[in-house]
Amino acid sequence: SNFSLHTPIFDKSDINSISQAIKSTWISTKGKKTIIFENLLGKYFKTKYAVATNSGTSALFLSLKSLNVKIGDEIIIPNISFIAVPNAIIYNGATPHIVDTTENELNICPEKLENYLVKNTKIVNNNCINKKTGKRIAGIIAVHIFGHMCDMDRLKKICKKFKMFLIEDAAEAVGSLYKKKKPGFYSDIATVSFNGNKIITTGAGGAIITNNKNLYKKILSLSTLNNRPNSNYQNFIRLGYNLRMPSLNASLGISQLKKINTQVMKKRRIYESYKKLFIKQKKYFYLYGENKNQKSNYWLQCIIINKDYEKYSLNIFKKIKKKKISARMLWSPMNEIPYLKNSPRSNLKNSLEICKRVICI
């Protein structure tokens, strides 16, 4: 289409960076560029450690693995989420446990979550146990939808109270802030994505951001094949998953990361111009904006159709598409995904009320 939702921006510096990697012949995961990129990511996120992976999904998978998620554990996720989040949980033999979002918002609702946990769980031997299923609820994955960061203060407190870990899925939130802090500050681990549609890209790729040395060491070893260094033979000591980012992708990441602030400025400008444009349309829909604690990268702009006009949402979407303008409806809510239908869940009223009214533009 003529107007795309999210085209990557490439310039000379990106092409130079990639051709350097090719000339060096070190283009796979053994190349130096991966390590350089990881160091730059640590600096950018102001965290001690970063591990670059071959996708955001891999980053989530390895994060859960490093936090000792056991088969049968339950992991809390919001009903509005990208599918990679429950998938990574399932790859670990665990069960997604679906909870609701804040009213009129797309992120997880801390208040509803806390009330729900108080009623439905008990703490046994420092583990949070779901009274209904008897399973351990090991942690929460907070998904920052469209770059608007979750209420991290409240979520951190909930995790402390209920003995859970906290992962931020910041796939869409590179360049975003919550109370002036980047992803990785409030959580055990933040994962990001550098997929082709993201605010900066490595083609395919993601990363794990953390301040925890033990988790970092575990993730690093899980992301490789664990060949014992300085051994004369190929000597593999522990099961590894071979999910590290290749140097070729990392070389693109190095040049792209330099543009992150410019990209965020551009995205925020797009938001501002839409806001002016739509001021007269308040009756029918509104532009989804940040709250006082958030500074969003506005990775995707979206409009939310007012309740009275909900039945027109799909028609509006189709009309936009007809004009050769890229648009997208929000993903199906998690409770409608066929293979998640037996997942434990809280009351999902807020997310079900809003999810069919969101159009990304």
Side-chain angles (χ1 to χ4, degrees):
S1 70
N2 311 343
F3 300 94
S4 104
L5 270 181
H6 31 48
T7 315
I9 311 264
F10 298 127
D11 59 26
K12 281 252 174 54
S13 71
D14 298 306
I15 291 158
N16 291 342
S17 201
I18 291 172
S19 58
Q20 265 176 26
I22 290 171
K23 281 179 190 141
S24 78
T25 74
W26 289 92
I27 56 167
S28 72
T29 52
K30 286 277 189 287
K32 299 244 180 352
K33 297 279 189 191
T34 304
I35 295 164
I36 294 168
F37 184 45
E38 288 169 340
N39 291 336
L40 290 169
L41 284 172
K43 277 203 186 78
Y44 174 74
F45 283 99
K46 298 186 165 63
T47 54
K48 293 187 184 131
Y49 311 104
V51 179
T53 57
N54 62 9
S55 73
T57 308
S58 297
L60 280 168
F61 168 76
L62 292 169
S63 299
L64 291 161
K65 189 68 75 201
S66 74
L67 286 156
N68 298 324
V69 168
K70 303 274 189 293
I71 289 176
D73 281 351
E74 295 174 9
I75 313 289
I76 286 172
I77 65 166
N79 197 30
I80 293 176
S81 167
F82 186 55
I83 198 68
V85 179
N87 286 358
I89 293 168
I90 293 166
Y91 304 156
N92 276 288
T95 305
H97 187 140
I98 304 166
V99 300
D100 205 10
T101 51
T102 304
E103 197 176 359
N104 298 322
E105 287 186 25
L106 304 177
N107 285 342
I108 201 161
C109 178
E111 203 171 341
K112 275 190 87 168
L113 175 61
E114 186 160 11
N115 295 338
Y116 174 72
L117 291 171
V118 168
K119 278 198 197 87
N120 297 289
T121 68
K122 55 182 187 211
I123 304 292
V124 183
N125 299 333
N126 256 347
N127 285 320
C128 180
I129 306 297
N130 181 342
K131 287 190 213 168
K132 264 198 203 112
T133 61
K135 302 285 190 196
R136 172 173 88 134
I137 305 179
I140 298 175
I141 302 181
V143 186
H144 302 319
I145 302 291
F146 303 146
H148 297 43
M149 284 177 66
C150 297
D151 187 341
M152 294 310 295
D153 269 343
R154 297 276 306 272
L155 290 177
K156 193 177 179 172
K157 284 187 187 117
I158 291 169
C159 284
K160 209 175 166 158
K161 178 173 169 183
F162 291 93
K163 317 292 181 201
M164 299 178 188
F165 61 69
L166 179 55
I167 294 176
E168 290 172 82
D169 176 23
E172 303 174 358
V174 178
S176 300
L177 303 172
Y178 169 81
K179 293 190 174 174
K180 303 196 163 72
K181 296 285 191 277
K182 293 180 173 139
F185 179 81
Y186 293 90
S187 55
D188 296 289
I189 295 173
T191 63
V192 295
S193 168
F194 302 115
N195 193 27
N197 61 356
K198 296 301 185 290
I199 192 155
I200 57 169
T201 183
T202 59
I208 290 150
I209 310 294
T210 186
N211 280 309
N212 183 316
K213 190 177 185 175
N214 288 338
L215 292 177
Y216 164 71
K217 282 181 160 163
K218 271 191 197 162
I219 288 161
L220 195 58
S221 97
L222 289 165
S223 74
T224 65
L225 288 173
N226 281 315
N227 187 20
R228 177 170 283 154
N230 312 324
S231 157
N232 293 323
Y233 299 96
Q234 293 275 313
N235 184 359
F236 300 98
I237 35 190
R238 249 182 266 103
L239 178 67
Y241 292 88
N242 197 20
L243 298 172
R244 200 126 178 255
M245 180 184 284
S247 260
L248 188 59
N249 300 79
S251 67
L252 180 56
I254 291 165
S255 56
Q256 285 272 301
L257 191 55
K258 292 183 178 139
K259 299 192 256 283
I260 181 62
N261 296 336
T262 322
Q263 286 289 83
V264 172
M265 263 167 40
K266 280 183 189 162
K267 295 277 190 188
R268 291 182 66 83
R269 244 185 260 136
I270 293 171
Y271 169 78
E272 290 302 335
S273 53
Y274 272 137
K275 209 175 149 182
K276 283 196 191 93
L277 199 64
F278 295 153
I279 210 109
K280 295 188 183 74
Q281 315 294 334
K282 275 210 178 76
K283 185 181 164 192
Y284 306 106
F285 66 84
Y286 60 96
L287 194 61
Y288 189 53
E290 62 197 3
N291 66 33
K292 65 177 191 308
N293 292 324
Q294 297 166 331
K295 185 176 183 196
S296 180
N297 65 4
Y298 281 110
W299 170 61
L300 271 187
Q301 316 299 334
C302 65
I303 57 170
I304 298 176
I305 311 291
N306 292 336
K307 279 192 190 125
D308 299 349
Y309 298 95
E310 174 168 13
K311 60 173 186 287
Y312 303 112
S313 300
L314 210 52
N315 282 346
I316 294 167
F317 167 68
K318 286 177 177 159
K319 282 224 160 69
I320 297 171
K321 296 281 275 190
K322 263 218 178 80
K323 294 248 189 268
K324 297 260 191 296
I325 297 168
S326 273
R328 190 178 83 184
M329 297 298 285
L330 191 60
W331 318 283
S332 295
M334 297 294 100
N335 69 304
E336 284 178 14
I337 304 290
Y339 58 90
L340 299 181
K341 65 171 182 291
N342 298 322
S343 290
R345 65 194 54 167
S346 72
N347 163 293
L348 301 172
K349 179 174 166 285
N350 297 340
S351 49
L352 294 177
E353 223 157 55
I354 201 171
C355 66
K356 300 285 187 274
R357 300 190 280 123
V358 180
I359 307 175
C360 301
I361 56 172

